Amino acid sequence: MKLAIMQPYFLPYIGYFQLIRSADLFIVYDNIKYTKKGWINRNRMLQNGQDVMFSLPLKKDADSLDVRERSLSEDFDRTKLLRQIEGAYQRAPHFKQTFALVERIVRYEASNLFGFLHHSIEKTCEHLGITTEIRVSSKVPIDHGLTGQDKVLALCKSVGAATYINSIGGMELYAKDAFSARGLDLQFIKSKPLEYPQFGDSFVPWLSIVDVLMFNEIGKVRQCIDAHYELDLRLWPLSVT
């Protein structure tokens, strides 16, 4: 069984969904520390030929809290966010069906940050035809005091995984010998560059999945998610220092 694990992100880039699709089971972290200025509650879209940030406003709280302990701001104006996205993409060729998905996600009535993000991931996967099982990390029976590689190894053991797949950006975080000693295959997924017309302007890469869906027919997007990546099997560190 192939396992992938990742923290939740708001409408992330296509590589996130390629990771989910490549696995038999995807575990999304809820009991992991919220990272300021990361991608958990924000992403990038195209506006007037430039990449701009869109985000979910959060209630002010302690930086030490986990994602599942954070809340959306009571002032979160869902209509304003939808209008921002609509204004940016209303002339896109696949606006209607994509905006319907975005509206289902943004209008979801949840105040808890993780609950909101979990719902958005599931709905996007449904739209993309991804049927990978998704579980929440805190519901997997392990010692949740573990961190980093040790926590990943514990999750792999608990669910009976034979292969662990991670984003290529995390290659330096894991040691080959630690996985092989436990009979686990360690793989890294690398998205291939994907370029498509964006209103005739210079192409801006690696934006939110929303951008990909706005400019591409859903069948093409599904094909890219299924196969437009490679599994990197190069040698990575034998140990993590």
Side-chain angles (χ1 to χ4, degrees):
M1 189 261 282
K2 296 180 179 179
L3 171 67
I5 311 169
M6 188 62 67
Q7 58 189 343
Y9 295 123
F10 183 46
L11 297 172
Y13 84 124
I14 192 171
Y16 189 93
F17 297 99
Q18 289 172 329
L19 177 64
I20 297 175
R21 176 66 180 83
S22 69
D24 301 304
L25 172 63
F26 179 71
I27 294 178
V28 58
Y29 280 125
D30 64 329
N31 54 350
I32 193 170
K33 183 179 177 181
Y34 169 77
T35 306
K36 293 179 68 174
K37 297 183 179 180
W39 298 102
I40 291 176
N41 63 308
R42 64 178 188 165
N43 220 288
R44 300 185 307 141
M45 68 177 183
L46 187 72
Q47 190 172 59
N48 300 322
Q50 304 291 326
D51 61 300
V52 299
M53 200 74 68
F54 63 93
S55 62
L56 301 171
L58 301 183
K59 179 181 177 182
K60 291 184 179 180
D61 223 322
D63 292 341
S64 60
L65 294 180
D66 286 345
V67 175
R68 63 179 177 173
E69 299 173 307
R70 297 303 302 266
S71 299
L72 297 173
S73 171
E74 295 177 357
D75 298 328
F76 175 30
D77 190 335
R78 287 169 166 79
T79 299
K80 181 179 179 181
L81 176 56
L82 287 169
R83 285 176 178 168
Q84 181 186 8
I85 296 172
E86 180 180 20
Y89 290 108
Q90 58 187 339
R91 295 186 294 108
H94 302 285
F95 170 78
K96 186 176 180 179
Q97 66 175 358
T98 304
F99 191 73
L101 168 67
V102 173
E103 190 162 29
R104 284 197 300 275
I105 289 170
V106 175
R107 293 286 185 197
Y108 182 60
E109 288 295 333
S111 58
N112 178 264
L113 174 61
F114 179 78
F116 188 90
L117 296 175
H118 185 229
H119 173 265
S120 72
I121 292 168
E122 289 191 326
K123 291 304 175 186
T124 306
C125 283
E126 288 177 14
H127 187 77
L128 295 170
I130 298 173
T131 58
T132 301
E133 180 187 357
I134 299 176
R135 295 186 197 173
V136 177
S137 62
S138 64
K139 298 185 182 300
V140 180
I142 65 165
D143 175 4
H144 288 282
L146 296 171
T147 59
Q149 178 175 273
D150 291 335
K151 189 168 188 176
V152 168
L153 289 169
L155 288 167
C156 287
K157 180 179 179 181
S158 181
V159 302
T163 301
Y164 175 62
I165 307 173
N166 195 74
S167 169
I168 194 72
M171 182 174 282
E172 299 301 324
L173 300 176
Y174 303 103
K176 178 182 178 181
D177 57 358
F179 284 79
S180 60
R182 292 164 176 78
L184 289 166
D185 184 24
L186 178 60
Q187 299 179 356
F188 294 91
I189 189 170
K190 182 179 181 181
S191 298
K192 295 180 181 179
L194 175 64
E195 187 167 335
Y196 46 87
Q198 294 171 323
F199 298 132
D201 298 319
S202 297
F203 181 69
V204 181
W206 307 123
L207 300 179
S208 164
I209 188 67
V210 171
D211 190 83
V212 179
L213 288 167
M214 288 289 185
F215 291 108
N216 296 277
E217 195 273 329
I218 186 64
K220 178 183 177 181
V221 179
R222 289 173 177 172
Q223 288 176 359
C224 289
I225 286 173
D226 284 346
H228 201 69
Y229 63 84
E230 58 188 24
L231 289 174
D232 197 312
L233 302 178
R234 295 174 301 173
L235 291 178
W236 52 88
L238 290 177
S239 60
V240 176
T241 57

